[in-house]
Amino acid sequence: MVMMSLFVVGCGEKKAPEPAVEAAIEAAPIVEAAPEPEPEPEPEPEPPAPPADNADLDVSVSFVSGETRSGHVKRIERSTDWWGEADYTADEGDLLLTLEGEGTEVESPWSGIKKITIVPKDVSSGADCTYSSEVNPWIYTCELQTPTTAVTVEGKSYTVQNRQQWRFVFDDDSELTFWLKKWPARQQDETITDMGGGENYDMYAGLQQRLRDERGSMVTSIAISH
């Protein structure tokens, strides 16, 4: 009888957890990780200051096509190379026109010019073509002769010798680019020239055609009001 009582007591049901303990477990808050702070936006870069005006010219421009353009030029720039492939300069000393006449050579600013006259020659007879083998593939160049004369405000006439490209910037920020003494067309061949290889005459033909296509946009005169 004693042993049976012990067995019954040992196999009895377990006590349920106290209600206070269950409530504490259920009420435990879930701690979430704090969100990463948003990165501070980078400040907008300051826009570059516009180039300073360096000219005050009222011009009337005529083209081979017969079109004309008039307006106020507020800025003049000149390419640092003959081909207009590099950068431009607005340094005062680089904006002088080199003029030859009557056995003399003078340098004149555009403000000292009254009129520029340009006479583009016919492409078939007036284009000088050559190549440069200093790089490979070779670079081919055709330059159309565009003899240019300038009349100064004093009324003297000269031949213009500058070969760089010029750029006029008008009040509305539109631009006009042009050459004076010669108008070039350049292109690098796509094929590497082998040792002893000859010229690619197709390149010359293509450059001459480009000059024909561009001829209508060439400037023939620039009249400057003072």
Side-chain angles (χ1 to χ4, degrees):
M1 290 296 291
V2 173
M3 292 179 63
M4 184 176 295
S5 298
L6 290 173
F7 179 78
V8 171
V9 172
C11 294
E13 293 183 359
K14 295 181 180 181
K15 290 184 178 181
E18 295 293 333
V21 176
E22 283 188 345
I25 295 174
E26 292 178 358
I30 298 174
V31 179
E32 297 182 356
E36 292 290 333
E38 292 290 333
E40 291 292 331
E42 295 185 3
E44 292 290 334
E46 291 290 333
D53 297 347
N54 63 359
D56 182 15
L57 303 176
D58 290 315
V59 302
S60 179
V61 184
S62 298
F63 301 87
V64 172
S65 64
E67 296 180 359
T68 60
R69 177 177 183 179
S70 299
H72 180 262
V73 175
K74 66 178 182 179
R75 182 172 174 81
I76 300 175
E77 299 173 338
R78 195 212 72 187
S79 66
T80 56
D81 66 330
W82 288 350
W83 324 117
E85 297 173 346
D87 56 355
Y88 284 81
T89 175
D91 293 343
E92 185 176 353
D94 294 328
L95 301 182
L96 300 175
L97 292 169
T98 303
L99 310 177
E100 289 186 356
E102 300 178 357
T104 62
E105 180 178 289
V106 297
E107 304 284 336
S108 172
W110 280 88
S111 58
I113 302 299
K114 184 177 181 180
K115 186 173 183 180
I116 295 283
T117 302
I118 306 171
V119 184
K121 292 192 173 182
D122 183 74
V123 175
S124 299
S125 58
D128 301 318
C129 296
T130 186
Y131 67 90
S132 172
S133 59
E134 295 180 357
V135 296
N136 202 349
W138 293 357
I139 295 178
Y140 290 79
T141 304
C142 287
E143 291 182 289
L144 182 64
Q145 299 175 44
T146 55
T148 303
T149 58
V151 177
T152 65
V153 292
E154 294 85 8
K156 295 183 179 181
S157 182
Y158 295 92
T159 300
V160 181
Q161 298 300 319
N162 303 79
R163 291 183 58 182
Q164 296 88 352
Q165 187 182 49
W166 294 88
R167 180 160 65 189
F168 283 175
V169 182
F170 293 84
D171 284 347
D172 61 358
D173 291 325
S174 61
E175 299 176 355
L176 171 66
T177 57
F178 57 94
W179 279 273
L180 296 176
K181 185 176 181 178
K182 295 183 178 181
W183 184 292
R186 274 165 55 90
Q187 184 175 343
Q188 187 171 17
D189 199 350
E190 296 180 352
T191 304
I192 294 177
T193 304
D194 298 328
M195 185 68 68
E199 299 172 63
N200 183 348
Y201 291 97
D202 289 340
M203 294 293 293
Y204 294 137
L207 292 174
Q208 289 175 359
Q209 184 58 50
R210 185 195 302 177
L211 289 173
R212 291 186 181 93
D213 295 339
E214 295 175 349
R215 198 172 186 279
S217 64
M218 296 181 185
V219 174
T220 56
S221 71
I222 304 172
I224 302 175
S225 302
H226 295 277

mmCIF file of all heavy atoms in Angstrom, residues 79-126:
data_model
loop_
_atom_site.group_PDB
_atom_site.id
_atom_site.type_symbol
_atom_site.label_atom_id
_atom_site.label_comp_id
_atom_site.label_asym_id
_atom_site.label_seq_id
_atom_site.Cartn_x
_atom_site.Cartn_y
_atom_site.Cartn_z
ATOM 1 N N SER A 79 41.075 79.852 -82.458
ATOM 2 C CA SER A 79 41.635 78.536 -82.169
ATOM 3 C C SER A 79 43.149 78.647 -81.995
ATOM 4 O O SER A 79 43.799 79.517 -82.577
ATOM 5 C CB SER A 79 41.300 77.541 -83.283
ATOM 6 O OG SER A 79 41.943 77.913 -84.493
ATOM 7 N N THR A 80 43.697 77.744 -81.201
ATOM 8 C CA THR A 80 45.136 77.751 -80.977
ATOM 9 C C THR A 80 45.888 76.970 -82.061
ATOM 10 O O THR A 80 47.113 76.997 -82.086
ATOM 11 C CB THR A 80 45.476 77.167 -79.600
ATOM 12 O OG1 THR A 80 44.921 75.838 -79.503
ATOM 13 C CG2 THR A 80 44.892 78.034 -78.493
ATOM 14 N N ASP A 81 45.157 76.271 -82.921
ATOM 15 C CA ASP A 81 45.781 75.551 -84.029
ATOM 16 C C ASP A 81 45.141 76.004 -85.340
ATOM 17 O O ASP A 81 44.176 76.750 -85.357
ATOM 18 C CB ASP A 81 45.635 74.033 -83.855
ATOM 19 C CG ASP A 81 44.181 73.598 -83.958
ATOM 20 O OD1 ASP A 81 43.299 74.402 -83.589
ATOM 21 O OD2 ASP A 81 43.916 72.483 -84.419
ATOM 22 N N TRP A 82 45.702 75.550 -86.456
ATOM 23 C CA TRP A 82 45.169 75.944 -87.759
ATOM 24 C C TRP A 82 43.856 75.261 -88.095
ATOM 25 O O TRP A 82 43.113 75.734 -88.942
ATOM 26 C CB TRP A 82 46.185 75.613 -88.855
ATOM 27 C CG TRP A 82 47.380 76.518 -88.853
ATOM 28 C CD1 TRP A 82 47.547 77.663 -88.135
ATOM 29 C CD2 TRP A 82 48.571 76.350 -89.621
ATOM 30 N NE1 TRP A 82 48.773 78.225 -88.393
ATOM 31 C CE2 TRP A 82 49.430 77.444 -89.302
ATOM 32 C CE3 TRP A 82 49.004 75.397 -90.533
ATOM 33 C CZ2 TRP A 82 50.694 77.593 -89.892
ATOM 34 C CZ3 TRP A 82 50.256 75.544 -91.106
ATOM 35 C CH2 TRP A 82 51.088 76.627 -90.799
ATOM 36 N N TRP A 83 43.571 74.134 -87.445
ATOM 37 C CA TRP A 83 42.476 73.280 -87.902
ATOM 38 C C TRP A 83 41.219 73.437 -87.071
ATOM 39 O O TRP A 83 40.195 72.825 -87.383
ATOM 40 C CB TRP A 83 42.926 71.807 -87.886
ATOM 41 C CG TRP A 83 44.359 71.611 -88.265
ATOM 42 C CD1 TRP A 83 45.362 71.114 -87.485
ATOM 43 C CD2 TRP A 83 44.953 71.897 -89.530
ATOM 44 N NE1 TRP A 83 46.537 71.090 -88.177
ATOM 45 C CE2 TRP A 83 46.322 71.562 -89.439
ATOM 46 C CE3 TRP A 83 44.465 72.408 -90.742
ATOM 47 C CZ2 TRP A 83 47.210 71.728 -90.499
ATOM 48 C CZ3 TRP A 83 45.350 72.587 -91.797
ATOM 49 C CH2 TRP A 83 46.702 72.244 -91.680
ATOM 50 N N GLY A 84 41.267 74.174 -85.988
ATOM 51 C CA GLY A 84 40.104 74.270 -85.114
ATOM 52 C C GLY A 84 39.824 72.981 -84.372
ATOM 53 O O GLY A 84 38.684 72.718 -83.988
ATOM 54 N N GLU A 85 40.868 72.176 -84.146
ATOM 55 C CA GLU A 85 40.703 70.886 -83.473
ATOM 56 C C GLU A 85 41.136 70.948 -82.014
ATOM 57 O O GLU A 85 40.859 70.024 -81.256
ATOM 58 C CB GLU A 85 41.519 69.809 -84.196
ATOM 59 C CG GLU A 85 41.067 69.551 -85.617
ATOM 60 C CD GLU A 85 41.976 68.608 -86.386
ATOM 61 O OE1 GLU A 85 43.108 68.348 -85.916
ATOM 62 O OE2 GLU A 85 41.566 68.138 -87.452
ATOM 63 N N ALA A 86 41.822 72.003 -81.617
ATOM 64 C CA ALA A 86 42.292 72.141 -80.243
ATOM 65 C C ALA A 86 41.360 73.075 -79.482
ATOM 66 O O ALA A 86 40.172 73.169 -79.790
ATOM 67 C CB ALA A 86 43.739 72.639 -80.236
ATOM 68 N N ASP A 87 41.892 73.778 -78.512
ATOM 69 C CA ASP A 87 41.049 74.685 -77.734
ATOM 70 C C ASP A 87 41.066 76.077 -78.352
ATOM 71 O O ASP A 87 41.688 76.319 -79.382
ATOM 72 C CB ASP A 87 41.532 74.725 -76.272
ATOM 73 C CG ASP A 87 43.006 75.113 -76.174
ATOM 74 O OD1 ASP A 87 43.658 75.261 -77.227
ATOM 75 O OD2 ASP A 87 43.500 75.267 -75.044
ATOM 76 N N TYR A 88 40.355 76.987 -77.696
ATOM 77 C CA TYR A 88 40.263 78.369 -78.163
ATOM 78 C C TYR A 88 40.898 79.300 -77.138
ATOM 79 O O TYR A 88 40.936 78.994 -75.941
ATOM 80 C CB TYR A 88 38.798 78.772 -78.389
ATOM 81 C CG TYR A 88 38.208 78.206 -79.654
ATOM 82 C CD1 TYR A 88 37.740 76.895 -79.692
ATOM 83 C CD2 TYR A 88 38.116 78.958 -80.820
ATOM 84 C CE1 TYR A 88 37.196 76.363 -80.850
ATOM 85 C CE2 TYR A 88 37.575 78.436 -81.975
ATOM 86 C CZ TYR A 88 37.120 77.141 -81.980
ATOM 87 O OH TYR A 88 36.587 76.603 -83.125
ATOM 88 N N THR A 89 41.379 80.408 -77.630
ATOM 89 C CA THR A 89 41.975 81.407 -76.762
ATOM 90 C C THR A 89 41.241 82.732 -76.934
ATOM 91 O O THR A 89 40.741 83.040 -78.022
ATOM 92 C CB THR A 89 43.470 81.594 -77.078
ATOM 93 O OG1 THR A 89 43.989 82.670 -76.271
ATOM 94 C CG2 THR A 89 43.698 81.939 -78.543
ATOM 95 N N ALA A 90 41.176 83.472 -75.829
ATOM 96 C CA ALA A 90 40.608 84.815 -75.874
ATOM 97 C C ALA A 90 41.621 85.837 -75.368
ATOM 98 O O ALA A 90 41.260 86.967 -75.056
ATOM 99 C CB ALA A 90 39.330 84.888 -75.055
ATOM 100 N N ASP A 91 42.878 85.415 -75.283
ATOM 101 C CA ASP A 91 43.921 86.343 -74.859
ATOM 102 C C ASP A 91 44.034 87.479 -75.863
ATOM 103 O O ASP A 91 44.019 87.252 -77.086
ATOM 104 C CB ASP A 91 45.265 85.623 -74.737
ATOM 105 C CG ASP A 91 45.271 84.603 -73.596
ATOM 106 O OD1 ASP A 91 44.370 84.690 -72.736
ATOM 107 O OD2 ASP A 91 46.149 83.721 -73.589
ATOM 108 N N GLU A 92 44.164 88.671 -75.343
ATOM 109 C CA GLU A 92 44.147 89.852 -76.200
ATOM 110 C C GLU A 92 45.199 89.776 -77.297
ATOM 111 O O GLU A 92 44.938 90.136 -78.451
ATOM 112 C CB GLU A 92 44.361 91.103 -75.337
ATOM 113 C CG GLU A 92 44.243 92.405 -76.097
ATOM 114 C CD GLU A 92 44.375 93.616 -75.191
ATOM 115 O OE1 GLU A 92 44.425 93.431 -73.957
ATOM 116 O OE2 GLU A 92 44.430 94.747 -75.719
ATOM 117 N N GLY A 93 46.390 89.285 -76.961
ATOM 118 C CA GLY A 93 47.455 89.214 -77.953
ATOM 119 C C GLY A 93 47.213 88.206 -79.051
ATOM 120 O O GLY A 93 47.824 88.295 -80.120
ATOM 121 N N ASP A 94 46.319 87.230 -78.808
ATOM 122 C CA ASP A 94 46.023 86.200 -79.809
ATOM 123 C C ASP A 94 44.876 86.603 -80.728
ATOM 124 O O ASP A 94 44.592 85.894 -81.695
ATOM 125 C CB ASP A 94 45.666 84.878 -79.125
ATOM 126 C CG ASP A 94 46.848 84.282 -78.375
ATOM 127 O OD1 ASP A 94 47.989 84.482 -78.827
ATOM 128 O OD2 ASP A 94 46.616 83.628 -77.336
ATOM 129 N N LEU A 95 44.215 87.708 -80.440
ATOM 130 C CA LEU A 95 43.048 88.111 -81.222
ATOM 131 C C LEU A 95 43.372 89.207 -82.228
ATOM 132 O O LEU A 95 42.471 89.877 -82.738
ATOM 133 C CB LEU A 95 41.930 88.583 -80.287
ATOM 134 C CG LEU A 95 41.452 87.546 -79.253
ATOM 135 C CD1 LEU A 95 40.311 88.119 -78.425
ATOM 136 C CD2 LEU A 95 41.032 86.250 -79.931
ATOM 137 N N LEU A 96 44.652 89.363 -82.539
ATOM 138 C CA LEU A 96 45.065 90.359 -83.516
ATOM 139 C C LEU A 96 45.091 89.758 -84.911
ATOM 140 O O LEU A 96 45.484 88.597 -85.092
ATOM 141 C CB LEU A 96 46.452 90.904 -83.165
ATOM 142 C CG LEU A 96 46.579 91.594 -81.807
ATOM 143 C CD1 LEU A 96 48.036 91.979 -81.556
ATOM 144 C CD2 LEU A 96 45.681 92.819 -81.736
ATOM 145 N N LEU A 97 44.672 90.531 -85.879
ATOM 146 C CA LEU A 97 44.749 90.126 -87.281
ATOM 147 C C LEU A 97 46.110 90.525 -87.834
ATOM 148 O O LEU A 97 46.551 91.668 -87.667
ATOM 149 C CB LEU A 97 43.635 90.789 -88.086
ATOM 150 C CG LEU A 97 42.213 90.323 -87.774
ATOM 151 C CD1 LEU A 97 41.197 91.244 -88.438
ATOM 152 C CD2 LEU A 97 42.009 88.894 -88.213
ATOM 153 N N THR A 98 46.773 89.558 -88.477
ATOM 154 C CA THR A 98 48.062 89.831 -89.111
ATOM 155 C C THR A 98 47.807 90.303 -90.527
ATOM 156 O O THR A 98 47.271 89.553 -91.355
ATOM 157 C CB THR A 98 48.948 88.580 -89.102
ATOM 158 O OG1 THR A 98 49.118 88.135 -87.754
ATOM 159 C CG2 THR A 98 50.307 88.868 -89.718
ATOM 160 N N LEU A 99 48.171 91.540 -90.829
ATOM 161 C CA LEU A 99 47.871 92.170 -92.112
ATOM 162 C C LEU A 99 49.161 92.520 -92.847
ATOM 163 O O LEU A 99 50.112 93.032 -92.248
ATOM 164 C CB LEU A 99 47.047 93.452 -91.884
ATOM 165 C CG LEU A 99 45.810 93.322 -90.979
ATOM 166 C CD1 LEU A 99 45.154 94.689 -90.805
ATOM 167 C CD2 LEU A 99 44.832 92.299 -91.535
ATOM 168 N N GLU A 100 49.168 92.231 -94.143
ATOM 169 C CA GLU A 100 50.320 92.548 -94.983
ATOM 170 C C GLU A 100 49.877 93.424 -96.147
ATOM 171 O O GLU A 100 48.811 93.187 -96.750
ATOM 172 C CB GLU A 100 50.980 91.278 -95.513
ATOM 173 C CG GLU A 100 51.726 90.471 -94.461
ATOM 174 C CD GLU A 100 52.477 89.289 -95.073
ATOM 175 O OE1 GLU A 100 52.349 89.075 -96.302
ATOM 176 O OE2 GLU A 100 53.166 88.580 -94.326
ATOM 177 N N GLY A 101 50.697 94.415 -96.469
ATOM 178 C CA GLY A 101 50.400 95.278 -97.607
ATOM 179 C C GLY A 101 51.403 96.403 -97.727
ATOM 180 O O GLY A 101 51.931 96.887 -96.716
ATOM 181 N N GLU A 102 51.707 96.759 -98.964
ATOM 182 C CA GLU A 102 52.630 97.841 -99.249
ATOM 183 C C GLU A 102 53.986 97.612 -98.582
ATOM 184 O O GLU A 102 54.628 98.537 -98.066
ATOM 185 C CB GLU A 102 52.049 99.193 -98.803
ATOM 186 C CG GLU A 102 50.726 99.537 -99.496
ATOM 187 C CD GLU A 102 50.146 100.850 -99.018
ATOM 188 O OE1 GLU A 102 50.746 101.466 -98.100
ATOM 189 O OE2 GLU A 102 49.111 101.271 -99.562
ATOM 190 N N GLY A 103 54.407 96.347 -98.581
ATOM 191 C CA GLY A 103 55.713 96.005 -98.028
ATOM 192 C C GLY A 103 55.798 96.043 -96.520
ATOM 193 O O GLY A 103 56.904 95.985 -95.961
ATOM 194 N N THR A 104 54.682 96.112 -95.835
ATOM 195 C CA THR A 104 54.696 96.154 -94.373
ATOM 196 C C THR A 104 53.778 95.079 -93.802
ATOM 197 O O THR A 104 52.901 94.550 -94.494
ATOM 198 C CB THR A 104 54.219 97.529 -93.860
ATOM 199 O OG1 THR A 104 52.860 97.745 -94.275
ATOM 200 C CG2 THR A 104 55.107 98.644 -94.407
ATOM 201 N N GLU A 105 53.996 94.780 -92.539
ATOM 202 C CA GLU A 105 53.129 93.854 -91.814
ATOM 203 C C GLU A 105 52.710 94.521 -90.512
ATOM 204 O O GLU A 105 53.558 95.033 -89.773
ATOM 205 C CB GLU A 105 53.839 92.537 -91.519
ATOM 206 C CG GLU A 105 52.980 91.532 -90.753
ATOM 207 C CD GLU A 105 53.672 90.206 -90.512
ATOM 208 O OE1 GLU A 105 53.853 89.446 -91.492
ATOM 209 O OE2 GLU A 105 54.059 89.959 -89.351
ATOM 210 N N VAL A 106 51.417 94.522 -90.259
ATOM 211 C CA VAL A 106 50.896 95.146 -89.042
ATOM 212 C C VAL A 106 49.960 94.177 -88.338
ATOM 213 O O VAL A 106 49.434 93.242 -88.954
ATOM 214 C CB VAL A 106 50.152 96.470 -89.364
ATOM 215 C CG1 VAL A 106 51.101 97.483 -89.967
ATOM 216 C CG2 VAL A 106 48.960 96.221 -90.280
ATOM 217 N N GLU A 107 49.775 94.405 -87.048
ATOM 218 C CA GLU A 107 48.823 93.638 -86.252
ATOM 219 C C GLU A 107 47.679 94.563 -85.865
ATOM 220 O O GLU A 107 47.901 95.654 -85.326
ATOM 221 C CB GLU A 107 49.498 93.084 -85.002
ATOM 222 C CG GLU A 107 50.723 92.224 -85.262
ATOM 223 C CD GLU A 107 50.360 90.835 -85.749
ATOM 224 O OE1 GLU A 107 49.231 90.395 -85.457
ATOM 225 O OE2 GLU A 107 51.196 90.200 -86.410
ATOM 226 N N SER A 108 46.452 94.130 -86.133
ATOM 227 C CA SER A 108 45.311 94.991 -85.850
ATOM 228 C C SER A 108 44.262 94.235 -85.056
ATOM 229 O O SER A 108 43.942 93.072 -85.357
ATOM 230 C CB SER A 108 44.683 95.491 -87.158
ATOM 231 O OG SER A 108 43.465 96.192 -86.906
ATOM 232 N N PRO A 109 43.671 94.870 -84.053
ATOM 233 C CA PRO A 109 42.506 94.260 -83.388
ATOM 234 C C PRO A 109 41.291 94.347 -84.303
ATOM 235 O O PRO A 109 41.259 95.144 -85.244
ATOM 236 C CB PRO A 109 42.333 95.120 -82.134
ATOM 237 C CG PRO A 109 42.870 96.455 -82.534
ATOM 238 C CD PRO A 109 44.019 96.181 -83.467
ATOM 239 N N TRP A 110 40.275 93.554 -84.006
ATOM 240 C CA TRP A 110 39.067 93.590 -84.820
ATOM 241 C C TRP A 110 38.383 94.953 -84.745
ATOM 242 O O TRP A 110 37.703 95.363 -85.684
ATOM 243 C CB TRP A 110 38.107 92.486 -84.370
ATOM 244 C CG TRP A 110 38.469 91.145 -84.915
ATOM 245 C CD1 TRP A 110 39.331 90.235 -84.365
ATOM 246 C CD2 TRP A 110 37.997 90.564 -86.134
ATOM 247 N NE1 TRP A 110 39.425 89.128 -85.174
ATOM 248 C CE2 TRP A 110 38.613 89.298 -86.261
ATOM 249 C CE3 TRP A 110 37.117 90.985 -87.124
ATOM 250 C CZ2 TRP A 110 38.364 88.449 -87.341
ATOM 251 C CZ3 TRP A 110 36.864 90.136 -88.202
ATOM 252 C CH2 TRP A 110 37.485 88.886 -88.301
ATOM 253 N N SER A 111 38.571 95.656 -83.659
ATOM 254 C CA SER A 111 37.959 96.980 -83.538
ATOM 255 C C SER A 111 38.568 97.981 -84.511
ATOM 256 O O SER A 111 37.983 99.046 -84.752
ATOM 257 C CB SER A 111 38.116 97.503 -82.105
ATOM 258 O OG SER A 111 39.491 97.567 -81.747
ATOM 259 N N GLY A 112 39.724 97.644 -85.092
ATOM 260 C CA GLY A 112 40.349 98.528 -86.064
ATOM 261 C C GLY A 112 40.022 98.170 -87.505
ATOM 262 O O GLY A 112 40.583 98.763 -88.434
ATOM 263 N N ILE A 113 39.101 97.219 -87.692
ATOM 264 C CA ILE A 113 38.742 96.751 -89.040
ATOM 265 C C ILE A 113 37.362 97.275 -89.424
ATOM 266 O O ILE A 113 36.421 97.261 -88.616
ATOM 267 C CB ILE A 113 38.748 95.210 -89.100
ATOM 268 C CG1 ILE A 113 40.125 94.676 -88.705
ATOM 269 C CG2 ILE A 113 38.366 94.719 -90.490
ATOM 270 C CD1 ILE A 113 41.263 95.132 -89.610
ATOM 271 N N LYS A 114 37.253 97.719 -90.663
ATOM 272 C CA LYS A 114 35.973 98.186 -91.182
ATOM 273 C C LYS A 114 35.267 97.115 -91.999
ATOM 274 O O LYS A 114 34.037 96.969 -91.936
ATOM 275 C CB LYS A 114 36.183 99.434 -92.042
ATOM 276 C CG LYS A 114 34.898 100.062 -92.563
ATOM 277 C CD LYS A 114 35.190 101.343 -93.346
ATOM 278 C CE LYS A 114 33.910 101.989 -93.850
ATOM 279 N NZ LYS A 114 34.197 103.237 -94.614
ATOM 280 N N LYS A 115 36.040 96.357 -92.783
ATOM 281 C CA LYS A 115 35.421 95.313 -93.613
ATOM 282 C C LYS A 115 36.428 94.210 -93.913
ATOM 283 O O LYS A 115 37.610 94.465 -94.132
ATOM 284 C CB LYS A 115 34.889 95.888 -94.928
ATOM 285 C CG LYS A 115 34.101 94.877 -95.755
ATOM 286 C CD LYS A 115 33.444 95.503 -96.966
ATOM 287 C CE LYS A 115 32.598 94.486 -97.722
ATOM 288 N NZ LYS A 115 31.931 95.072 -98.910
ATOM 289 N N ILE A 116 35.927 92.979 -93.914
ATOM 290 C CA ILE A 116 36.683 91.792 -94.318
ATOM 291 C C ILE A 116 36.021 91.237 -95.571
ATOM 292 O O ILE A 116 34.802 91.087 -95.618
ATOM 293 C CB ILE A 116 36.671 90.719 -93.212
ATOM 294 C CG1 ILE A 116 37.412 91.202 -91.962
ATOM 295 C CG2 ILE A 116 37.249 89.403 -93.717
ATOM 296 C CD1 ILE A 116 38.915 91.166 -92.061
ATOM 297 N N THR A 117 36.834 90.923 -96.579
ATOM 298 C CA THR A 117 36.319 90.304 -97.806
ATOM 299 C C THR A 117 37.064 88.998 -98.049
ATOM 300 O O THR A 117 38.300 88.970 -98.071
ATOM 301 C CB THR A 117 36.494 91.231 -99.024
ATOM 302 O OG1 THR A 117 35.808 92.464 -98.776
ATOM 303 C CG2 THR A 117 35.916 90.591 -100.273
ATOM 304 N N ILE A 118 36.304 87.912 -98.226
ATOM 305 C CA ILE A 118 36.869 86.571 -98.419
ATOM 306 C C ILE A 118 36.383 86.036 -99.767
ATOM 307 O O ILE A 118 35.190 86.121 -100.079
ATOM 308 C CB ILE A 118 36.439 85.612 -97.284
ATOM 309 C CG1 ILE A 118 36.782 86.224 -95.919
ATOM 310 C CG2 ILE A 118 37.101 84.253 -97.436
ATOM 311 C CD1 ILE A 118 36.204 85.464 -94.745
ATOM 312 N N VAL A 119 37.309 85.466 -100.546
ATOM 313 C CA VAL A 119 36.956 84.952 -101.878
ATOM 314 C C VAL A 119 37.328 83.469 -101.948
ATOM 315 O O VAL A 119 38.455 83.118 -102.313
ATOM 316 C CB VAL A 119 37.672 85.742 -102.992
ATOM 317 C CG1 VAL A 119 37.208 85.243 -104.358
ATOM 318 C CG2 VAL A 119 37.421 87.237 -102.850
ATOM 319 N N PRO A 120 36.406 82.564 -101.573
ATOM 320 C CA PRO A 120 36.710 81.130 -101.678
ATOM 321 C C PRO A 120 36.883 80.718 -103.143
ATOM 322 O O PRO A 120 36.042 81.033 -103.985
ATOM 323 C CB PRO A 120 35.481 80.459 -101.054
ATOM 324 C CG PRO A 120 34.826 81.528 -100.244
ATOM 325 C CD PRO A 120 35.085 82.802 -100.966
ATOM 326 N N LYS A 121 37.964 80.000 -103.423
ATOM 327 C CA LYS A 121 38.208 79.543 -104.784
ATOM 328 C C LYS A 121 37.397 78.287 -105.075
ATOM 329 O O LYS A 121 36.815 77.661 -104.177
ATOM 330 C CB LYS A 121 39.694 79.291 -104.993
ATOM 331 C CG LYS A 121 40.535 80.559 -104.955
ATOM 332 C CD LYS A 121 41.942 80.300 -105.462
ATOM 333 C CE LYS A 121 42.742 81.597 -105.582
ATOM 334 N NZ LYS A 121 44.104 81.376 -106.119
ATOM 335 N N ASP A 122 37.388 77.906 -106.342
ATOM 336 C CA ASP A 122 36.714 76.674 -106.727
ATOM 337 C C ASP A 122 37.492 75.487 -106.171
ATOM 338 O O ASP A 122 38.726 75.466 -106.216
ATOM 339 C CB ASP A 122 36.624 76.586 -108.252
ATOM 340 C CG ASP A 122 35.867 75.357 -108.698
ATOM 341 O OD1 ASP A 122 34.634 75.338 -108.562
ATOM 342 O OD2 ASP A 122 36.528 74.404 -109.175
ATOM 343 N N VAL A 123 36.789 74.497 -105.663
ATOM 344 C CA VAL A 123 37.452 73.373 -105.007
ATOM 345 C C VAL A 123 38.342 72.606 -105.977
ATOM 346 O O VAL A 123 39.455 72.180 -105.626
ATOM 347 C CB VAL A 123 36.415 72.438 -104.363
ATOM 348 C CG1 VAL A 123 37.087 71.192 -103.786
ATOM 349 C CG2 VAL A 123 35.632 73.176 -103.279
ATOM 350 N N SER A 124 37.905 72.437 -107.192
ATOM 351 C CA SER A 124 38.672 71.620 -108.146
ATOM 352 C C SER A 124 40.060 72.189 -108.409
ATOM 353 O O SER A 124 41.027 71.445 -108.592
ATOM 354 C CB SER A 124 37.905 71.492 -109.471
ATOM 355 O OG SER A 124 36.662 70.847 -109.269
ATOM 356 N N SER A 125 40.175 73.516 -108.420
ATOM 357 C CA SER A 125 41.463 74.135 -108.741
ATOM 358 C C SER A 125 42.105 74.844 -107.560
ATOM 359 O O SER A 125 43.301 75.164 -107.617
ATOM 360 C CB SER A 125 41.283 75.143 -109.883
ATOM 361 O OG SER A 125 40.328 76.142 -109.529
ATOM 362 N N GLY A 126 41.362 75.077 -106.497
ATOM 363 C CA GLY A 126 41.894 75.878 -105.402
ATOM 364 C C GLY A 126 42.114 75.141 -104.106
ATOM 365 O O GLY A 126 42.365 75.778 -103.073
#
